[in-house]
């Protein structure tokens, strides 16, 4: 039975701490393994060395993903992974947890001599966090990048990806060879910290991710008329800011009428014009984004938001324009894997929470290529992308054991 096998938390802790020393900044206490930096690359070489210590033969594919296979050469693999890069001043667990738990799972399966019908492959994806747009490694593996993009993409400082790759001795165009056919992969599992407060608030240890929420992004403009703030009577103003206020104020009602418990509406960026203390703002331009796990709910929210903005504009004598900047559909984890992981968690004595992921993960691209599943463990205070990011070792151990049980359920004979 799968639940008779357990990971070694002391060994996993040492791995997480050793990797966490690479790119560590003693001043900020943050981890800086930004995608394609020297520290990021050093972390990848460290990981390859760890696999070699197990007598395995890891390799780096053309996109700088580190991959290590154990088992049959030809059968489709059960992949386990996450990313090794970090945000600037990131935490100890984001990404690293999924990769190093995979390494520990692989050790247990190998050292216990468990007979496999599918080989296990551990993958450490590259540039997930967004220096060059994010999810570079997993998109390369899924065949979603092209040569024009590789040669033109730059980071915020204007540094080209191709130059960073060449500086590390890598040929950027070889990233195209990282593609894996769907036939070569049986399933994908990822253990990740939740990066939100839900599990902690519910006092539960294990989350099973049902899917990654979709997101739409709009740019909205309300145009009225700028005028003197002392002489223009309140009832004669065309105040664009008040239009924005009414819209934001209506979010709870919009979600109650058209959304779900997991819907999210956000105005994250606002620009008022002319932007002077004593002038009625004649124009406001703002970002508006909506998220949900159901594409239909996303559509309903988008339609209702458009109608409401038109209505507010009429009422306030404003002109309303908007542009849809992007529409990313929700991605669903495989229903069979969700059920299997929930069962394995229950077998280990947990009460798993089925939940969506509001953050993006490598797994969202893997859902397109294969059957994918994700496990969450609690983030203390819901904090992530910060040196303060923390997950208790107890919870790490429990999450990694669910990952192990899931891997055995999918891969063992
Ligand atoms: Zn992550």
């Amino acid at each position: 039975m799968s639940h008779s096998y357990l990971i070694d938390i002391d060994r996993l802790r040492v791995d997480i701490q050793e990797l966490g020393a690479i790119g560590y900044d003693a001043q900020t206490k943050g981890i800086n393994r930004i995608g394609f930096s020297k520290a990021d690359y050093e972390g990848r070489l460290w990981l390859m060395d760890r696999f070699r210590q197990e007598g395995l033969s890891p390799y780096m594919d053309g996109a700088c993903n580190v991959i290590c296979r154990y088992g049959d050469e030809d059968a489709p693999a059960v992949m386990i992974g996450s990313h090794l890069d970090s945000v600037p001043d990131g935490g100890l667990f984001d990404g690293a947890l999924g990769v190093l738990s995979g390494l520990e799972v692989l050790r247990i399966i190998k050292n216990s001599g468990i007979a496999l019908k599918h080989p296990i492959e551990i993958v450490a994806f590259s540039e997930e966090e967004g220096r060059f747009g994010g999810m570079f490694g997993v998109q390369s593996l899924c065949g979603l990048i092209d040569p024009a993009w590789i040669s033109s993409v730059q980071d915020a400082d204007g540094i080209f990806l191709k130059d960073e790759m060449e500086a590390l001795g890598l040929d950027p165009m070889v990233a195209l060879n990282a593609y894996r056919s769907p036939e070569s992969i049986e399933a994908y599992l990822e253990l990740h910290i939740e990066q939100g407060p839900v599990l902690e608030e519910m006092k539960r240890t294990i989350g099973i991710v049902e899917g990654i929420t979709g997101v739409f992004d709009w740019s909205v403009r309300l145009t009225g008329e700028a005028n003197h703030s002392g002489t223009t009577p309140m009832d004669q103003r065309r105040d664009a800011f008040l239009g924005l206020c009414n819209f934001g104020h209506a979010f709870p009602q919009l979600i109650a009428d058209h959304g779900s418990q997991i819907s999210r509406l956000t105005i994250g960026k606002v620009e008022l014009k002319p932007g002077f203390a004593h002038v009625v703002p004649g124009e406001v331009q703002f970002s508006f984004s909506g998220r949900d796990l159901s594409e239909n709910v996303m559509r309903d929210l988008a339609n209702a938001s458009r109608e409401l903005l038109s209505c507010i504009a009429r009422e306030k004598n404003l002109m309303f324009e908007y542009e849809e900047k992007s529409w990313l559909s929700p991605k669903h984890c495989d229903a069979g894997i969700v059920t299997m992981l929930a069962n394995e968690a229950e077998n280990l004595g947990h009460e798993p929470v089925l939940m969506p992921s509001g953050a993006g993960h490598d797994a969202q691209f893997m859902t397109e290529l294969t059957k994918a599943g994700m496990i969450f463990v609690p983030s203390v205070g819901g904090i992530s992308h910060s040196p303060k990011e923390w997950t208790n070792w107890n919870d790490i151990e429990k999450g990694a054991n669910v990952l192990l049980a899931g891997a055995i359920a999918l891969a063992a004979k």
Side-chain angles (χ1 to χ4, degrees), residues 193-201 355 359 376-384 390:
I193 51 169
E194 183 200 332
Q195 304 179 285
V198 173
L199 287 171
E200 186 178 65
E201 278 172 8
M355 60 193 295
F376 275 170
V377 284
S379 294
V380 173
I383 297 167
S384 183
W390 191 252

Side-chain angles (χ1 to χ4, degrees), residues 82-83 94-95 128-129 192 195 361:
S82 195
H83 57 98
D94 182 0
E128 189 267 359
E129 292 288 7
H192 205 282
Q195 304 179 285
H361 294 292

Side-chain angles (χ1 to χ4, degrees), residues 2-3 205-208 337-354 375-376 398-399 401-403 405-406:
S2 57
H3 49 271
T205 308
I206 302 293
I208 308 295
I337 291 192
V338 169
T339 306
M340 178 277 286
L341 289 174
N343 287 339
E344 295 297 342
E346 280 170 14
N347 289 342
L348 287 161
H350 307 298
E351 262 187 276
V353 182
L354 300 191
I375 303 156
F376 275 170
K398 287 167 180 164
N401 276 324
V402 175
L403 180 69

Side-chain angles (χ1 to χ4, degrees), residues 147-161:
W149 184 86
I150 295 175
S151 51
S152 63
V153 67
Q154 308 169 50
D155 70 7
D157 298 324
I159 299 170
F160 283 90
L161 170 65

